[in-house]
Amino acid sequence: MNYWLMKSEPDEFSIDDLANAPGGKARWDGVRNYQARNMLRDQVAVGDQVLFYHSSCQPPGVAGIAEVVAAGYPDPSALDPESPYFDSRSSPDNIRWYCVDVRFVHRFPALIPLERLRHSVELEAMPLLRRGNRLSVMPVSKAHWDFILGLAGSDYSGTAPGRTG
DNA sequence: GCCAACGTTGGC
DNA sequence: GCCAACGTTGGC
C-alpha cells in the first residue's frame, strides 16, 4: 500500500465536502499536469491512503485522510465543455487525463498548517516542502505519513476504520 | 497583488 | 531540438 498527498482548494472542494458527499466518495478529477497524471494512471491503487491537503487558503495545510476506492481511469471532465477542466485536445477515444475515486476516512481535529510541517526536521525531504513544487498529487513515505499522523493529535490509528457498507 | 518556479507552447 | 514567451500554481 502506498501513501499520497493530494491538494484541493477548499473553496472548490474541501474535506468536509468529501465527508458530506454520497457515501463519502468523490471523483478526484481535474488534474492537468503530466507528472501527476502519470501517478494517477500508473501508481495510485485501491486501498492507498491519502493526505487531503487544503491549498490556496489561509492557512494551507493537511486537513485529514482519504482512501483510494477506484484506481486511475480517464477523466470524464476533460470531455465536458461546461467543466473548468475541459480539454479541447481530448476526445472520447483519447482522453489525455486521469482521475481516481476517493472516500472520506478521517478529518483531523485541527488542520496541520503548512508552516508546522516546515518546522519539522523529520519532514525536510517531503516533496511538498521542496521549493517550487507545484504538483497536486505527490507520494508520501511511510515515515512521513506516520510522523504527520502523530502531529494530527488525534486518536486516529491509521488502521482501516469500521465500515457499515 | 506579487512573484518564484516550473510547465507548455510554438516559431524557427 | 532549442528557447523565448507566456500561463499556472500557490505561498506569502
Side-chain angles (χ1 to χ4, degrees):
Chain A
M1 183 182 65
N2 289 313
Y3 301 94
W4 306 94
L5 181 144
M6 298 190 191
K7 297 180 184 175
S8 181
E9 302 188 12
D11 287 351
E12 298 297 324
F13 190 77
S14 72
I15 193 159
D16 290 329
D17 293 327
L18 179 61
N20 295 329
K25 294 188 209 172
R27 174 180 292 153
W28 200 277
D29 60 6
V31 173
R32 296 292 181 268
N33 168 281
Y34 283 108
Q35 202 177 336
R37 188 279 306 269
N38 292 347
M39 285 188 273
L40 294 179
R41 186 188 61 193
D42 304 332
Q43 294 180 252
V44 178
V46 172
D48 284 1
Q49 302 291 296
V50 176
L51 293 175
F52 195 122
Y53 181 89
H54 284 177
S55 67
S56 292
C57 57
Q58 192 49 243
V62 182
I65 296 170
E67 176 181 350
V68 177
V69 293
Y73 60 96
D75 181 350
S77 71
L79 300 180
D80 177 6
E82 302 299 310
S83 169
Y85 307 126
F86 177 68
D87 170 30
S88 62
R89 309 214 299 192
S90 287
S91 59
D93 52 356
N94 182 23
I95 297 182
R96 301 196 305 167
W97 305 109
Y98 274 68
C99 58
V100 299
D101 291 349
V102 300
R103 173 166 54 201
F104 175 80
V105 173
H106 179 73
R107 185 198 151 109
F108 292 153
L111 178 132
I112 306 172
L114 175 61
E115 188 182 15
R116 176 71 187 85
L117 303 180
R118 288 199 188 285
H119 288 158
S120 303
V121 177
E122 293 86 346
L123 301 178
E124 267 178 0
M126 264 195 102
L128 175 72
L129 306 181
R130 276 209 318 262
R131 186 173 179 79
N133 189 313
R134 299 176 309 166
L135 280 180
S136 62
V137 177
M138 55 188 109
V140 175
S141 73
K142 175 83 163 77
H144 291 162
W145 175 273
D146 290 343
F147 183 81
I148 290 169
L149 260 58
L151 291 180
S154 76
D155 58 5
Y156 176 70
S157 67
T159 58
R163 286 181 204 132
T164 55

